Amino acid sequence: MKRAYLLAHPAGHSLSPAMHNAAFRYLSLEAHYEAVDVAPENLAEMVQNLRDDDVYGANVTIPHKLAVMPMMDKLSKAAKTIGAVNTIVNQNGELVGHNTDAAGFLQGLEDERVYLRKKVAVLLGAGGAARAIAYALLNSGVAKLWIYNRTTEKAAELVKEFARVGSAAVLKEDELPFIIRQAEILVNTTSVGMERGGVAPDESPLPDGLMPKQGFVCDIIYRPVRTKLLHDAREANLKIQNGLPMLVYQGAEAFRLWTGQEAPAHVMMEAAKHGLQKSEGEKQKEVVKS
Ligand code: NAP
């Protein structure tokens, strides 16, 4: 039996075990995926165990995406440029660090036939997820990427780091209305609007009434399924997408790297949707109890 893990802290509520185990079953692979709560002090030992023959590798999430980097024997180009690892592949005892978030995000856009070349894009946020999405957008030939973040210095750092990938600039508070209205692609990577561990679940990262005039709005949050930002964008007749496709496709790419087989993304999507519905039901029960 082969094994794959999610290294997280905390590890509850992840949709990845349901997605990957459904894919293993669908392809009749004798394998099991498990989410493991790994405290930072136990990370090195857990990563060392991934070299075992029966281990495909692991996904890595908050707070370990940066910490695992020096523990890898090799890094993919994407992981190196993005500066974070979300997938570890055990290649005959050698650990290779990859980042599949950028590819996952782009596959989600492709499904919606959203084209990025020569478009004006705005990225809200400058945290870990923003790095992968900035890489994806700049590598796909956007004309200009504006990065807006509460802490402006972090947006400036990102612009500096990605200068050799493409044309990016810091979006300042006073320019926000003008540039947002012009944007053809808007992606939220802040945790504003997110349930569970996020901030201000009923709020939007944009000021009230401000929306692009046309184009596509993506919120990489998937809990709730429709954030206030996506709700407002829909009201403004814009095309929208939540973070579920990105989650599923980053997982599908990790699955392909581990097994060498194309992942059944449709099966993984169904399992993720089912998992979300289940946790939605549990949340309702908690509300009734309290
Ligand atoms: P992170 O590194 O902690 O970054 C959080 C970002 O949110 C920072 O830019 C931060 O700004 C901003 N922020 C936090 N609180 C804010 C507030 N009150 N007002 C304005 N901005 C605020 O987190 P991350 O790993 O990038 O994750 C961000 C979100 O993406 C989470 O909701 C996560 O669930 C989601 N995500 C989804 C996927 C997927 O596959 N769909 C993958 C990864 C992440 P400062 O720099 O000013 O603190």
Side-chain angles (χ1 to χ4, degrees):
M1 160 91 70
K2 283 280 209 178
R3 289 172 295 138
Y5 299 100
L6 171 68
L7 315 184
H9 184 61
H13 302 303
S14 170
L15 298 174
S16 292
M19 272 177 2
H20 284 283
N21 286 324
F24 288 144
R25 274 194 302 276
Y26 185 79
L27 293 177
S28 305
L29 293 174
E30 272 210 32
H32 186 70
Y33 184 105
E34 190 187 334
V36 190
D37 190 332
V38 185
E41 60 273 25
N42 300 328
L43 183 64
E45 191 188 343
M46 182 67 205
V47 169
Q48 188 58 22
N49 291 339
L50 300 177
R51 296 177 194 274
D52 290 355
D53 282 352
D54 61 345
V55 178
Y56 279 133
N59 284 137
V60 184
T61 189
I62 294 172
H64 302 311
K65 283 185 176 184
L66 296 183
V68 298
M69 288 188 75
M71 301 173 192
M72 300 294 103
D73 299 306
K74 280 189 204 148
L75 290 171
S76 71
K77 185 175 168 233
K80 227 184 264 175
T81 315
I82 292 165
V85 162
N86 81 329
T87 301
I88 301 173
V89 179
N90 175 19
Q91 267 181 3
N92 306 316
E94 238 192 7
L95 298 183
V96 186
H98 292 261
N99 191 307
T100 66
D101 279 338
F105 170 72
L106 289 177
Q107 184 59 49
L109 265 53
E110 218 174 291
D111 277 5
E112 288 293 321
R113 294 190 161 68
V114 173
Y115 301 108
L116 296 169
R117 255 196 110 58
K118 304 210 165 123
K119 296 274 171 64
V120 174
V122 173
L123 182 61
L124 306 176
R131 303 181 68 86
I133 291 177
Y135 174 84
L137 292 171
L138 289 170
N139 259 325
S140 306
V142 292
K144 179 100 182 178
L145 176 64
W146 294 94
I147 305 180
Y148 178 77
N149 194 44
R150 174 179 63 175
T151 313
T152 310
E153 296 75 27
K154 277 171 76 181
E157 264 169 46
L158 215 62
V159 164
K160 202 168 142 198
E161 272 183 59
F162 285 85
R164 64 201 155 84
V165 188
S167 172
V170 175
L171 177 53
K172 299 199 191 87
E173 187 91 45
D174 58 339
E175 301 164 322
L176 192 66
F178 180 68
I179 300 292
I180 292 288
R181 284 191 195 103
Q182 272 191 20
E184 295 161 288
I185 309 283
L186 176 87
V187 186
N188 175 45
T189 69
T190 75
S191 29
V192 179
M194 179 187 153
E195 293 170 0
R196 288 195 177 134
V199 285
D202 301 324
E203 285 180 21
S204 163
L206 286 182
D208 261 355
L210 184 59
M211 266 296 145
K213 281 194 277 195
Q214 52 167 347
F216 174 73
V217 176
C218 175
D219 195 330
I220 67 162
I221 292 171
Y222 48 85
R223 276 190 183 111
V225 172
R226 191 173 284 192
T227 55
K228 177 162 188 323
L229 174 70
L230 290 187
H231 176 81
D232 293 350
R234 199 70 205 94
E235 293 275 292
N237 283 322
L238 301 175
K239 207 168 172 172
I240 60 169
Q241 185 176 70
N242 72 10
L244 205 56
M246 175 177 167
L247 176 82
V248 170
Y249 288 124
Q250 64 73 31
E253 180 57 12
F255 186 99
R256 190 185 68 76
L257 290 166
W258 292 329
T259 64
Q261 298 197 39
E262 273 321 304
H266 62 291
V267 171
M268 296 174 86
M269 178 62 88
E270 279 314 305
K273 282 185 180 163
H274 186 251
L276 266 184
Q277 275 166 3
K278 222 169 108 187
S279 60
E280 190 57 29
E282 280 161 16
K283 201 180 74 195
Q284 298 295 353
K285 273 190 214 153
E286 279 166 26
V287 171
V288 171
K289 261 195 224 158
S290 61

